[in-house]
Structures are given as structure tokens and as C-alpha cells.
Amino acid sequence: MKTYIALLRGINVSGQKKIPMAELCELLSGIGLENVQTYIQSGNVLFQSSEENLQKLELKIHQAIKSHFGFDVPVLIKTHDDLQSIFDGCPFSEEKKKNSYFTFLFESPKQEAIEAVAGLSFTNEEFIITPECIYFYSAIGYGKAKCSNNFFERKLKITATARNYKTMVKLLALSEAN
């Protein structure tokens, strides 16, 4: 059995796509995932499975959520090592890293889109785009930042989901313990 982290995009945000965590755990256990647990309400699910094909797991979870709750939720699955590698790859200083966001990309953006976005600059905001993640820091906080998850999705024409430093640290700890 391997431990995986499923990152669900856009649930329980501003009353949209409401999914109770206990119900989600029950649903995912019912489709054969084991030791299912969630972390906070924003779509972080840890589970174990003997399936090693991440795309099959993503599709299985996506279809179960769509069938049960009636709406599409993009699902991205990472292993502990994947998450650790992205976390360790953060290019910011330790001080900035503790206040940064990790925007996970569901697919790699096209090079032309990366170049167009990389040329943009906003006061008090820094970002670095990699094929798997956008590392983002804002001195004014995420809520007031121009470079939100939606901004990157629109500009790069991809699906993405963001997690803050504290969530990353907790997901790493929880997935390492399993």
C-alpha cells in the first residue's frame, strides 16, 4: 500500500461545491481507498491504495465525486516524495518561504504562456513558474494579491490549486506518518 495526497481544486470556497469532509471520507473508502483522512475543509485528502497509476486514481476519485455530489472537481494526486520535492524546491529565502504559496499545476503550461506571464511584474509579489508548481510570495498577503490561483489559470490556460506553507508542512507530516 502506498500513501497518496489528493489535492481537490475549488471545493468549499465561498459556498461553492460544498463537500462535507466526513461524507467525502466515506465516499472514498467506499470506492476502495484505505485509511482515508482529510486535512481542513479545502480539499486535502490522504489515503492509501495498492493502485500505482496516479491518473487512474485521479479519475476514480473525480468520477466518484461527480456521481455522488453532482459537480466536477479537478483532482491532482501526489506522493509524499513528490510533495517533499516541490516543497524543497522552493526558491525563496526561508523567511519568504514561510509566507509563500505553492500552486500545483495539473499539467505543464506551454512555454509561450510561461514567457508571457514571467514578464509580468506586480508590486510586493514574486513568483517562479516550474513545470509542476508556481512558487508565489506576496508581501501584502494572498487575499490582496493580483497573482491568485485564478490569475495563473487564466494566463497559463491550465488548471491549478494552491496551498500555503502551513498546509504543505502538515500534509508532509501526515503523509510521512502513514
Side-chain angles (χ1 to χ4, degrees), residues 37-72:
Q37 69 179 94
T38 60
Y39 173 67
I40 61 178
Q41 302 290 312
S42 60
N44 306 294
V45 183
L46 292 100
F47 65 93
Q48 292 180 321
S49 176
S50 57
E51 176 62 63
E52 294 193 16
N53 184 318
L54 300 185
Q55 288 78 19
K56 280 185 182 179
L57 285 168
E58 289 167 352
L59 184 59
K60 187 175 188 175
I61 293 170
H62 176 267
Q63 289 174 333
I65 291 171
K66 182 168 178 129
S67 174
H68 185 80
F69 293 103
F71 44 78
D72 280 311

Side-chain angles (χ1 to χ4, degrees), residues 3 12 24 27 32 55 62 84 103 115 128 130 147 153 160 167:
T3 299
N12 299 333
L24 178 61
L27 174 68
Q55 288 78 19
H62 176 267
Q84 188 70 60
T103 303
E115 289 169 9
I128 297 177
T130 71
C147 295
E153 285 185 325
T167 298

Side-chain angles (χ1 to χ4, degrees), residues 90-154:
C90 183
F92 300 131
S93 68
E94 198 59 32
E95 180 184 330
K96 284 183 179 179
K97 183 177 180 176
K98 289 181 179 177
N99 292 297
S100 64
Y101 287 78
F102 300 78
T103 303
F104 291 89
L105 308 178
F106 284 60
E107 64 272 345
S108 294
K110 290 188 171 33
Q111 190 58 39
E112 310 82 63
I114 293 172
E115 289 169 9
V117 173
L120 300 174
S121 176
F122 299 99
T123 305
N124 296 314
E125 297 181 34
E126 297 176 47
F127 61 86
I128 297 177
I129 303 169
T130 71
E132 287 188 296
C133 180
I134 299 168
Y135 299 98
F136 176 70
Y137 169 77
S138 173
I140 58 172
Y142 195 75
K144 296 176 183 172
K146 298 225 186 289
C147 295
S148 67
N149 191 71
N150 291 337
F151 167 86
F152 287 119
E153 285 185 325
R154 269 193 325 276

